[in-house]
Amino acid sequence: MKKFINDPNDVVAEALAGLAAAHPELRVDPAERYVARSDAPHAGKVALVSGGGSGHEPLHGGFVGAGMLDAACPGEVFTSPVPDQILAATKAVDGGAGVVHVVKNYTGDVMNFKMAAELAADEGVTVETVLVDDDIAVQDSTWTAGRRGTGATLLVEKIAGALAEEGGKLGEVAAIGREVNAASASFAYALTAGTTPAAGRPGFDLPDDEIEVGVGIHGEPGRRREKLRPARELVRSALDAILEAKPIDSGDRVIVLVNGLGGTPLIELYLVYGEVATVLAERGVEISRRLVGNYVTSLDMAGLSITVTRVTDEMLRLFDAPVRTPGLRWGA
Amino acid sequence: MKKFINDPNDVVAEALAGLAAAHPELRVDPAERYVARSDAPHAGKVALVSGGGSGHEPLHGGFVGAGMLDAACPGEVFTSPVPDQILAATKAVDGGAGVVHVVKNYTGDVMNFKMAAELAADEGVTVETVLVDDDIAVQDSTWTAGRRGTGATLLVEKIAGALAEEGGKLGEVAAIGREVNAASASFAYALTAGTTPAAGRPGFDLPDDEIEVGVGIHGEPGRRREKLRPARELVRSALDAILEAKPIDSGDRVIVLVNGLGGTPLIELYLVYGEVATVLAERGVEISRRLVGNYVTSLDMAGLSITVTRVTDEMLRLFDAPVRTPGLRWGA
């Protein structure tokens, strides 16, 4: 294993120390293991808290800031955060108007966020949960009952975060988060596996000419393995699957996310975005906004995911609202 | 070779098509091969033009936009843009106040930008050139006489671009660009080589436990190969080399760039930034601003570079000015 690390056991703690040093506008609590806005809590504002295993950076810590998350709880690499950690973050950012938990649909995450929400309720903090399960590649997977949560998490956090920032109430913020998730579908390909610091070797092996079709962000198996094909064919297959799974039709407007999984360079992501734009234009689907980059990653995995979210005027307005986080920033 | 591409010969053209589709605020000329601000030229504004081989994305096309470059000329992968291409871009964005060429110090780039500047002069466009040669690892290298231009290019383009945006004159914009370069030093490590689409295999081989110390952004050899060491030792060695090469002392303020070379995940870059912050604090050097991410890459190379730029109040003010490009955005 070749990585820029010290002791493999210290990677998450040391990366958090680096995040804290780099971003004075964030407050990192090394003992309770959460990242929060320095200016939280905001009295009367609904707070957003997310979290999950580390190794998906900038998700989630890199999306803490004005207009997006109030706090994030990073677990160990590919490991759910624990209930105490989530509870501490929830209480730290609660401004009295309730807290929305944005939870990717993995069994451990769901269980631990649920427990934290119950503990928070015991202490008088109302929590609403938005479950993200946008990955339409497989129905159940290694660590999931039901569909996995992947790229759409970013859009849920951005759009619900914007509504919270402008004063949306708890039920409204949770509702739009759920709407964004319901309107989203994602599909991923892996060329290589990521290597966790603890394991020291790739999570799976792929022959030199094969790809994993429908891979998960922890390297979970997808639908099948197949020979590598040209990008334009892979894009067409992914969009066929996405448009079959969600009712996205001619005349609809969408946000597209072409997301690198950590080891894929931007030149390939832009090439792929060009193919996505071509196919969606053929289908009469209008791309109103798009993001191209590494947002929801899987360590150093060479791979990418495509997320398509059918949007309303209100979602677009909230997507365009100012955001100021380490991983996503505009208008501020 | 596993990449998300179609024909290896079409990668640059197709990635540019994707960039154009993703960013309506940019104008991509597929025939002349340049990327320009859609709203260029601006009458009376000094224009900034850069360029170089492709494979370093977001550099340079991703840094075209308000507050940074007016145009960029991407060559083929790791290949200089040609004089005609640079000339076309220069004329396209000239607003009558002259054009600054930001040129990384590689023999082909220097020669072709020089020829383009002479051709532009023949057509009445005054060009000033800012040469970037911040990589202090080696004196001469595979494609360079003198030091190579790497991470500091981003800071030159940001700071000089901001001065141009607010009305700086040709001589002033070029002067601050040169000042930023002179105040900058970079040093890089590679864990693996990048693979060009044309070659189809890694540019060099490294044993499983070795790194290239002082690698260039095209995979050029550095100072030596050595066994992989913990990140904290690599950071200390790099900063020793940087602070020995440039007069950066206790009490100085700096901008730090911890830059991934394409295949290194953000969790490692933040861990490394934490080590950089520790070492510079020991030396009494104040980090006034920092960037952590993939900005000046080498395809899918696993590696990173550290750039340190000693700054003045004026440089910080210009660094903080609004910028709106695909690869760097704040305040707008």
Side-chain angles (χ1 to χ4, degrees), chain A residues 2 4-6 14 18 22-23 191 207-208 210 230-232 265 267-268 270 273 275 290 299 304 329-332, chain B residues 2 4-6 14-15 18 22-23 191 207-208 210 230-232 265 268 270 273 275 290 299 304 329-332:
Chain A
K2 290 202 280 189
F4 294 106
I5 61 174
N6 299 304
E14 292 179 350
H23 299 286
L191 303 183
D208 275 352
E210 285 190 16
R232 68 168 62 89
I267 192 170
E268 294 177 42
Y270 271 108
Y273 179 77
E275 301 293 347
R290 76 290 297 161
L299 295 168
L304 60 80
R329 185 169 176 183
W330 55 72
Chain B
K2 290 203 280 189
F4 294 106
I5 61 174
N6 298 304
E14 292 180 352
H23 299 286
L191 304 183
D208 275 351
E210 284 190 16
R232 69 169 61 90
E268 295 177 42
Y270 270 110
Y273 178 77
E275 300 294 347
R290 77 288 297 160
L299 296 167
L304 60 81
R329 185 170 175 183
W330 54 72

Side-chain angles (χ1 to χ4, degrees), chain A residues 4-39:
Chain A
F4 294 106
I5 61 174
N6 299 304
D7 185 321
N9 295 312
D10 299 334
V11 169
V12 172
E14 292 179 350
L16 280 177
L19 187 75
H23 299 286
E25 72 278 14
L26 301 182
R27 180 162 51 85
V28 176
D29 186 317
E32 303 274 15
R33 278 285 174 98
Y34 65 78
V35 180
R37 289 171 62 168
S38 293
D39 57 358

Side-chain angles (χ1 to χ4, degrees), chain B residues 60-127:
Chain B
H60 294 275
F63 297 138
V64 175
M68 216 161 161
L69 297 177
D70 293 82
C73 307
E76 286 300 316
V77 172
F78 293 176
T79 303
S80 302
V82 298
D84 280 356
Q85 182 182 4
I86 303 166
L87 176 65
T90 300
K91 287 163 60 182
V93 298
D94 173 45
V99 178
V100 171
H101 283 177
V102 179
V103 184
K104 299 195 301 304
N105 189 34
Y106 299 98
T107 307
D109 290 31
V110 170
M111 192 175 67
N112 290 354
F113 270 95
K114 181 165 185 286
M115 203 172 300
E118 290 168 0
L119 294 168
D122 291 346
E123 303 195 32
V125 180
T126 312
V127 173

Side-chain angles (χ1 to χ4, degrees), chain B residues 23-266:
Chain B
H23 299 286
E25 72 279 14
L26 301 182
R27 179 162 50 85
V28 175
D29 187 317
E32 303 273 16
R33 278 285 175 97
Y34 64 79
V35 180
R37 289 170 61 168
S38 293
D39 56 358
H42 287 257
K45 177 188 170 300
V46 171
L48 266 77
V49 175
S50 192
S54 291
H56 307 302
E57 292 69 23
L59 191 80
H60 294 275
F63 297 138
V64 175
M68 216 161 161
L69 297 177
D70 293 82
C73 307
E76 286 300 316
V77 172
F78 293 176
T79 303
S80 302
V82 298
D84 280 356
Q85 182 182 4
I86 303 166
L87 176 65
T90 300
K91 287 163 60 182
V93 298
D94 173 45
V99 178
V100 171
H101 283 177
V102 179
V103 184
K104 299 195 301 304
N105 189 34
Y106 299 98
T107 307
D109 290 31
V110 170
M111 192 175 67
N112 290 354
F113 270 95
K114 181 165 185 286
M115 203 172 300
E118 290 168 0
L119 294 168
D122 291 346
E123 303 195 32
V125 180
T126 312
V127 173
E128 285 270 348
T129 298
V130 175
L131 197 68
V132 183
D133 62 349
D134 56 307
D135 184 343
I136 52 91
V138 293
Q139 181 53 37
D140 299 301
S141 185
T142 317
W143 292 299
T144 338
R147 287 173 168 172
R148 302 172 298 215
T150 59
T153 315
L154 166 71
L155 299 172
V156 169
E157 292 175 359
K158 172 67 188 80
I159 290 171
L163 186 59
E165 198 73 37
E166 67 178 41
K169 295 192 191 316
L170 182 61
E172 296 165 348
V173 173
I176 201 154
R178 291 178 192 128
E179 255 184 83
V180 171
N181 177 60
S184 297
S186 298
F187 198 96
Y189 293 106
L191 304 183
T192 69
T195 296
T196 64
R201 53 191 185 78
F204 56 88
D205 290 310
L206 268 176
D208 275 351
D209 59 347
E210 284 190 16
I211 62 174
E212 182 74 36
V213 175
V215 72
I217 57 172
H218 312 91
E220 308 95 304
R223 294 183 168 185
R224 63 184 174 275
R225 288 182 175 188
E226 61 179 44
K227 298 290 178 196
L228 176 61
R229 290 183 289 149
R232 69 169 61 90
E233 294 179 21
L234 296 178
V235 166
R236 210 165 274 276
S237 295
L239 289 174
D240 281 345
I242 285 171
L243 299 187
E244 187 184 301
K246 292 275 164 172
I248 296 169
D249 298 311
S250 179
D252 283 340
R253 290 168 307 159
V254 297
I255 298 175
V256 166
L257 167 62
V258 172
N259 172 61
L261 291 172
T264 291
L266 204 51

Side-chain angles (χ1 to χ4, degrees), chain A residues 229-300:
Chain A
R229 291 183 289 149
R232 68 168 62 89
E233 294 180 22
L234 296 179
V235 165
R236 211 165 274 276
S237 295
L239 289 173
D240 282 346
I242 284 171
L243 299 186
E244 188 183 300
K246 293 277 165 171
I248 296 170
D249 298 311
S250 180
D252 284 340
R253 292 168 305 159
V254 298
I255 299 176
V256 166
L257 167 63
V258 172
N259 172 62
L261 290 173
T264 292
L266 204 52
I267 192 170
E268 294 177 42
L269 299 181
Y270 271 108
L271 186 151
V272 164
Y273 179 77
E275 301 293 347
V276 171
T278 298
V279 174
L280 290 182
E282 284 171 19
R283 308 281 179 95
V285 175
E286 181 189 326
I287 304 178
S288 298
R289 304 288 185 278
R290 76 290 297 161
L291 291 169
V292 180
N294 288 281
Y295 293 104
V296 180
T297 64
S298 184
L299 295 168
D300 53 348

Side-chain angles (χ1 to χ4, degrees), chain B residues 294-331:
Chain B
N294 288 280
Y295 294 103
V296 180
T297 63
S298 183
L299 296 167
D300 52 349
M301 180 186 283
L304 60 81
S305 62
I306 299 170
T307 300
V308 180
T309 301
R310 192 181 51 185
V311 289
T312 61
D313 286 341
E314 176 70 350
M315 288 183 201
L316 282 180
R317 187 183 70 76
L318 293 167
F319 182 81
D320 289 342
V323 60
R324 184 177 179 161
T325 72
L328 204 67
R329 185 170 175 183
W330 54 72

Side-chain angles (χ1 to χ4, degrees), chain A residues 56-94:
Chain A
H56 307 303
E57 292 70 22
L59 189 81
H60 294 276
F63 298 138
V64 175
M68 216 161 161
L69 297 178
D70 293 83
C73 307
E76 285 301 315
V77 171
F78 293 175
T79 303
S80 302
V82 297
D84 281 355
Q85 181 183 2
I86 303 166
L87 177 64
T90 300
K91 287 163 61 182
V93 298
D94 174 44

